[in-house]
Amino acid sequence: YGNFCPLELVPVSLGCGRIVELSASTVAWAKSNADDFLAFVEESCLSICGLPFKKLDKKSEKSYMAARRQLLLTRLADEMDPKVVLELTLLLLVQQTRGLAAWGNNLVGPALKLLASERKMTETVLALLNTLAQSIDSGLEVDSELLRKVKSCGMCKDIAKHSLD
């Protein structure tokens, strides 16, 4: 929510055909207190759309992240498309190293930059990921051995201890 317009009244579309106006003071207050902002959104905005909203507790979050990881692993095990293999591997590695559930389009570049700053990531693994990304971008044929190694990185339990044999 860091990109709010500094107008007196800021229209916020809720994606359900309704617009709520936030005053500049509400926007400033929201920037200073994320928890209060989430409470405001939950009470004022999401109920208008009928969207359920709940902040996850630690136990629910851990359960969600484990289920998400298992789903990504299942998809990665059967995947042969190099682009999808790279994306799934990056999602798994970001979740493993940062504890974040990343998603979206065009995440390869940002995810690679994020992983490059991780102490757990070895230069060899980063080089493999970058090589696959460059091969995909340039439209080159992807070597099956490179694909196998990248998949093994995504499927490993601890990337810091992973061997690429």
Side-chain angles (χ1 to χ4, degrees), residues 25-45:
S25 60
T26 303
V27 172
W29 166 76
K31 285 183 178 180
S32 66
N33 193 332
D35 288 333
D36 288 342
F37 176 71
L38 287 175
F40 170 77
V41 169
E42 180 181 0
E43 293 169 15
S44 304
C45 300

Side-chain angles (χ1 to χ4, degrees), residues 119-138:
R119 290 180 301 140
K120 295 178 184 179
M121 297 296 295
T122 65
E123 292 297 321
T124 307
V125 171
L126 288 170
L128 278 174
L129 295 172
N130 281 311
T131 300
L132 181 56
Q134 290 168 357
S135 296
I136 293 168
D137 287 344
S138 62

